[in-house]
Every structure is written in C-alpha cells, then in structure tokens.
Amino acid sequence: MSAKENYYQPEAECMSREKMHDLQSERLITQVKHVYANVGYYREKMDASGVRPEDVKSIADLGKLPFLTKDDLREAYPYGLLAVPREAPVRIHSTSGTTGKRVVAFLTQQDIDLWYDCCARALAAAGATPGDVVQISYGYGLFTGGAGLDGGSHKLGSLTLPMSSGFTDRQLQFMCDLGATIICCTPSYAEFLAETIEERGIGDSVKLKAGIFGAEAWSNEMRLRLEQKLGIKAYDIYGLTEITGPGVSFECSQQEGLHINEDHFVAEIINPETGEVLPDGEKGELVFTCLTKQAFPLLRYRTRDISILSRKECQCGRTLAKMSRLMGRSDDMLIIKGVNVFPSQIETVLIDYGLSSNYQLVIDRVNHSDTLEVRVELTPEMFSGSGTVGAVEKHERMLRDAIKNMLGIAAKVKLVNPKTITRSEGKAVRVIDNRKV
C-alpha cells in the first residue's frame, strides 16, 4: 500500500489476489443462482447452453455461461432482464439503443450505494478528500455521468457542486467563488473551459488540482493539453449504463491504465469474432460480469469496447486488475457529445421519411464540442418534384427534429442532389470522423 496514495476502501482496493479470487468466486456463485431463479430470459439462455447454476463452482467456471449482448437488452426491453420484483428498484438510467429502443438499467438502493462507492474510489484516486470541492459538470438525468460522480463525492464527504453540463458563465463563477479543486466532465468540455478561462484572464482565481474526464474518446496528447492549460492532473474514468455508469474502472496516480473494481465486476477479454477468452496482455473485446448488482445483473455482457487487461503490480499499491484505455470498438458505435450513436439509428429515420439510403455522417470537433452533420441524397422523385429551396429546407427541419428525438443530440442535416455522395466499390463509407482528440 502506497503511503502517498489516497484510497476510499483500501481493504478492497488493495486486497490480495488470492482473497479477490475467493471473493469473486463466492459472489459469482450467488449471482448466477439469483439470475437463474429470477430472470426467465437468461434462464432460457443458460438452459440452451446446457449450463445450470450448480455447474458454476468458482470464477474459473465463468466461461461456461452464455454471453449477453445489446441485442438481448433490446429484445428483453423494458423489464425482461429485471431480477427483482417490480417494486424493488428505486431508479433507472438509460442510454440510446440501436433502433430507437433505449437501454434501460434498473437500480435498487443497494445498487446505488455500491455504485457510489466505486465512484468514491475514483475520486480518491484522483486526490479528492473530504476537504475538497468537487464540481460535477457531467449531465444529470437519465445519463449516468452526473449522478455517479455526484454520489461518489457525497460518499467521500467532499463539498459537491452539482452543476450539470453547459451554462459556462455559471460554471466559472462557482468554480472561482467556491474554490473548486476537482472538476468532473467530458474532456472536450474541459478544454472549452480551459480556453474560456484563458480568454477571460481568470486563471489566478482557479484552484483546480485534478480532473476526472470520461464519456468520450480522448488521447494522451489531449490529456497533456488539459494538464498544462488547467494546471491539473487529468484522470480517465470508464463505465457504461448497462453495467453501472462511471466507476467500473478508474485511473490512479500512475496513469498507466484503469483499475477495475473487481469486487463488483469481473472483466474478460475475448476474441470478438470467435468468443474465445484471451490471456492478459492480448487485445480484444471487453466483457463484464456484475457480481453484486441486484436489479439488473448482467452476466458476461459484451461491451464491444476494445482493450487489454493486465494484472501486473501497480506502484499505487492497488491490486485491482487494470484495463488499458479504450482502443476502439468491435461494432460501428460512435460516441458524440458523450452519447452512443449508431449509424443504423439515423438510417432508420431517413428510411421512415422515404429518403435515400445514400448518406454520410460527418463528425467534427468545433470549439472543443462535437458536431454531427447528416448528408443525405434526395430521391430522384423528391428532386424533380419538390426540390425547391423552401421544400428542401422544410425536409431538413423535419429530419433535424426526428434525429434529435432519436438520438437526444442535435445534428445538422444537409439534403444534397442525387448521386452527389461519393460511391465506393467496396464497403460504403458512411462515417467521416474529423475529430482530432
């Protein structure tokens, strides 16, 4: 255990590998029985795979269980994977699904308390203490970011500023007046804040020492920029709504990968094509199993995120396994303004409006904020019959509204003449991502 490192629950964060193995085995056995008894959807999957709860005797038997995917979550929406009586959950969080159906995750009060513990660990690893002022500039509501770090800050005993996203003038006023020392937000918004602070010449009034940034892809180069501009140490955090939101894993002072809260979540790396479990050190798709969640406990959930696992000793003193920062996706999901976006969602809207399947999504980052432009060809009938400027603008407004309703974020829509989007002889180029993170 490092004398310089802050821990929130050192008994778990620095547990010996042997004790962690035994704890995970005990909790997995209990969880499998719980899911099999209470989730008909997953019981059918287990039966189809020829596995019963008594076949799982330790964490070494995890591979006997079938995978869950986002398709399963969509098929079982909304209550099909609920593992407790309907009156037991006290909250839901949600993220967008691939065809308009949202992914809904349920939480009991115990689930929330354990989630907040995980976020408190992340805050402590970033140097937060009860004497710090933690400014939460992630969105609140159905999005998990604001709620998770807010709860973690309360658990830690820090003074919490529940700012939510946007309203930059107010963000900076509270940051300076109340002496915020920890900022939690997306990295792109952190960069916008840094630029605004510089423009206004108020750097001397900013007391930040650390930032916890997630919900978007960001590079080490961006980390260095944020650290230099804000005078902080910048920490990564990982999570996904289906598992628990932020706090599944977090960076420590070493900034050499994210520690996984293994007493609550078991991580595997698999070959995304074959499902074969890969050894530590090999790149593949992250799979998570929830060990302690009551309401919505997913077993072997395929995240589609690409990473590498390591159990090498960390100088911070934590024994928790680490995952590398994300290295891409095994599907076509995009993250825009912290929101999961699938091209198929937008294609669904276009088809519903009778538009062409020839389209492109152009993503950029302007003034440190993600932008999305949808370019789609008019059909020949629309072009010849109602291609006036007024008619085109009306169609564009209708599509903008429909896409915002589908995704929850705004997009620019540009209707173009037929056959003006470049064709490809191979796979169609649907996405042009110009962001430089």
Side-chain angles (χ1 to χ4, degrees):
M1 191 179 300
S2 172
K4 297 180 181 179
E5 194 78 17
N6 289 340
Y7 308 100
Y8 175 66
Q9 294 174 319
E11 70 283 357
E13 297 173 59
C14 303
M15 185 180 294
S16 72
R17 295 306 308 172
E18 293 76 17
K19 286 186 177 179
M20 183 63 74
H21 176 277
D22 291 345
L23 178 64
Q24 287 183 329
S25 294
E26 176 186 336
R27 288 180 170 177
L28 178 65
I29 292 168
T30 300
Q31 189 71 289
V32 171
K33 290 177 180 177
H34 171 58
V35 170
Y36 191 86
N38 295 292
V39 183
Y41 186 93
Y42 200 73
R43 181 165 59 248
E44 291 178 8
K45 288 182 73 76
M46 286 181 63
D47 288 344
S49 299
V51 59
R52 295 185 59 80
E54 54 267 27
D55 297 326
V56 178
K57 299 178 174 63
S58 78
I59 200 70
D61 296 320
L62 184 61
K64 295 178 180 179
L65 298 171
F67 293 114
L68 276 176
T69 68
K70 188 159 284 190
D71 287 341
D72 290 305
L73 271 59
R74 186 171 67 245
E75 186 176 334
Y77 173 91
Y79 292 115
L81 290 172
L82 186 62
V84 293
R86 167 62 187 82
E87 60 272 17
V90 297
R91 189 195 299 175
I92 68 163
H93 283 284
S94 176
T95 186
S96 59
T98 57
T99 61
K101 282 190 178 179
R102 303 185 70 87
V103 171
V104 177
F106 300 85
L107 299 98
T108 64
Q109 187 58 53
Q110 178 178 300
D111 292 336
I112 292 171
D113 288 339
L114 295 179
W115 174 28
Y116 289 173
D117 283 342
C118 291
C119 289
R121 295 179 189 179
L123 283 159
T129 68
D132 280 291
V133 179
V134 179
Q135 184 160 333
I136 313 294
S137 301
Y138 286 112
Y140 283 68
L142 288 173
F143 179 58
T144 56
L149 273 303
D150 184 293
S153 180
H154 287 162
K155 284 268 190 172
L156 198 61
S158 302
L159 177 61
T160 307
L161 305 184
M163 302 300 299
S164 194
S165 55
F167 301 99
T168 298
D169 288 343
R170 188 171 63 189
Q171 298 273 359
L172 294 177
Q173 179 189 348
F174 274 79
M175 181 184 293
C176 295
D177 291 352
L178 298 177
T181 51
I182 311 286
I183 181 76
C184 304
C185 61
T186 63
S188 59
Y189 190 59
E191 197 157 36
F192 178 70
L193 288 173
E195 185 177 274
T196 307
I197 289 167
E198 184 177 5
E199 289 174 352
R200 298 183 183 182
I202 58 174
D204 291 343
S205 300
V206 174
K207 308 301 180 187
L208 294 176
K209 66 179 183 181
I212 298 179
F213 307 127
E216 291 176 344
W218 58 301
S219 65
N220 197 54
E221 288 74 22
M222 190 172 189
R223 183 209 297 273
L224 295 175
R225 289 202 305 270
L226 290 172
E227 291 185 335
Q228 182 178 19
K229 289 181 178 181
L230 291 171
I232 63 172
K233 192 159 186 174
Y235 295 81
D236 202 354
I237 191 168
Y238 172 82
L240 58 168
T241 300
E242 302 94 305
I243 300 299
T244 199
V248 173
S249 65
F250 60 91
E251 274 190 321
C252 66
S253 59
Q254 301 302 303
Q255 297 176 313
E256 296 175 346
L258 291 82
H259 287 286
I260 300 164
N261 284 310
E262 291 186 281
D263 50 331
H264 299 295
F265 314 104
V266 180
E268 302 171 272
I269 291 287
I270 65 168
N271 180 318
E273 301 297 328
T274 66
E276 173 195 4
V277 178
L278 302 176
D280 289 357
E282 291 199 23
K283 182 170 70 173
E285 181 184 339
L286 267 171
V287 174
F288 278 108
T289 292
C290 303
L291 295 176
T292 54
K293 285 189 72 176
Q294 295 178 322
F296 201 69
L298 303 186
L299 305 181
R300 303 199 81 199
Y301 180 69
R302 295 186 59 166
T303 68
R304 300 296 182 180
D305 290 324
I306 301 298
S307 185
I308 297 172
L309 292 183
S310 171
R311 289 176 175 81
K312 293 180 181 178
E313 184 177 344
C314 183
Q315 292 185 17
C316 77
R318 291 178 180 82
T319 54
L320 300 170
K322 288 196 287 190
M323 54 178 273
S324 69
R325 301 180 79 189
L326 299 186
M327 307 166 76
R329 297 275 303 175
S330 64
D331 61 11
D332 62 349
M333 190 186 83
L334 305 164
I335 300 178
I336 303 172
K337 294 184 178 180
V339 174
N340 298 346
V341 175
F342 291 83
S344 57
Q345 292 173 293
I346 296 172
E347 185 169 326
T348 298
V349 172
L350 301 179
I351 291 172
D352 286 345
Y353 277 79
L355 284 160
S356 167
S357 59
N358 293 313
Y359 69 92
Q360 282 185 333
L361 312 182
V362 182
I363 307 154
D364 213 329
R365 185 160 286 168
V366 179
N367 294 327
H368 314 299
S369 180
D370 291 343
T371 63
L372 170 62
E373 181 178 275
V374 180
R375 298 174 183 170
V376 58
E377 291 182 357
L378 291 161
T379 63
E381 295 78 13
M382 294 175 69
F383 178 67
S384 60
S386 59
T388 65
V389 173
V392 169
E393 288 178 348
K394 180 180 178 182
H395 281 298
E396 288 175 344
R397 286 196 299 271
M398 292 168 61
L399 286 170
R400 278 199 302 270
D401 291 341
I403 290 171
K404 186 171 184 179
N405 287 335
M406 170 71 82
L407 303 179
I409 59 173
K412 180 181 179 181
V413 175
K414 185 175 182 180
L415 293 175
V416 299
N417 294 343
K419 299 184 179 180
T420 55
I421 292 178
T422 303
R423 268 53 172 175
S424 172
E425 293 181 1
K427 185 177 180 181
V429 180
R430 297 295 191 203
V431 178
I432 300 173
D433 195 338
N434 295 322
R435 291 176 292 186
K436 300 292 188 294
V437 298

